[in-house]
Each structure stands twice: as structure tokens, then as C-alpha cells.
Amino acid sequence: MSKWWSFGGGFLLGSVGLTALTSKLAQRGYKYVVAGAMIARDRVMEESEKVQAAASNITAEAKELTEKYYAKLDAESAEAEE
């Protein structure tokens, strides 16, 4: 008998829970949560683009320094051979 009461109680609570989840107040709350998540995503994407641009600049400058270093080594080795 207690199994039936448990089933009936669970069914009743589930029905009430679904009704609460689909209420106007809950839907308004969902809208704000989703809007907040979208704003957060946009801000993260903006910062990510800034970081990618900075990393690209750093990589380009590092390549230039490396090329200058090897050019200097080549010039020094050419002078040493003479």
C-alpha cells in the first residue's frame, strides 16, 4: 500500500512542479538567466578576441627578433670566415 502512496505523492509533486516551472514568473526568471548568460558569453568573446590579437602581435614581434638574431649570427660568421 505504501508504494501506491509514494507513487501518487510523487506524481502529485511532479505535476505541481511542472506547473510551477511553466508559470509566468518562472518563465520571466528563465529569460533573465538566459539573457545574463548571453551577455556573459559576448563579453568573454570580446576579451578572447583581445587576447588573440595580443598573442598575434607578440608572435609577430618574436619572429622579427628571431630573424634579426639569425641575421646577426650569419653576419658574424661571415666576418669570422674572412
Side-chain angles (χ1 to χ4, degrees):
M1 183 77 172
S2 66
K3 290 181 182 180
W4 289 104
W5 283 106
S6 296
F7 175 76
F11 183 77
L12 182 62
L13 284 174
S15 298
V16 170
L18 288 176
T19 302
L21 290 174
T22 57
S23 70
K24 295 284 185 185
L25 182 62
Q27 289 179 2
R28 188 179 321 157
Y30 302 149
K31 286 190 283 188
Y32 283 109
V33 169
V34 171
M38 292 172 79
I39 290 169
R41 180 201 60 196
D42 291 342
R43 288 185 179 175
V44 167
M45 293 303 292
E46 288 173 7
E47 292 301 318
S48 173
E49 290 173 3
K50 290 178 186 177
V51 169
Q52 287 176 349
S56 178
N57 290 341
I58 291 169
T59 304
E61 291 175 10
K63 285 181 182 180
E64 288 178 20
L65 288 174
T66 304
E67 290 172 0
K68 288 179 184 178
Y69 172 77
Y70 284 119
K72 182 179 176 183
L73 282 181
D74 288 343
E76 288 176 357
S77 65
E79 288 177 7
E81 290 177 2
E82 292 176 357

